[in-house]
Amino acid sequence: MYVFPVGGSTGEHPSLSVEDRKTHLDAWVAAAARQNLTMIYQVGGAPFPDVMELV
């Protein structure tokens, strides 16, 4: 199994807006699907309402 920090490995991803995170996730899900890869996306570490929206 390969793990890629698609949200950045320096911590910048949580500073994005929820809309930006959704756009980012949609792009990665589409790219992963073309390669027959499974995506696992960490939604925690944000305010709870944001986590629920991302879930």
Side-chain angles (χ1 to χ4, degrees):
M1 177 172 75
Y2 296 99
V3 177
F4 301 99
V6 299
S9 57
T10 60
E12 67 273 11
H13 196 256
S15 66
L16 297 175
S17 70
V18 173
E19 279 307 310
D20 286 342
R21 291 177 75 179
K22 285 180 176 181
T23 300
H24 189 240
L25 175 59
D26 289 341
W28 275 100
V29 167
R34 288 192 300 270
Q35 299 297 321
N36 197 30
L37 299 173
T38 301
M39 286 291 302
I40 300 172
Y41 194 75
Q42 169 63 28
V43 297
F48 190 67
D50 293 355
V51 171
M52 292 306 297
E53 186 171 342
L54 288 167
V55 168

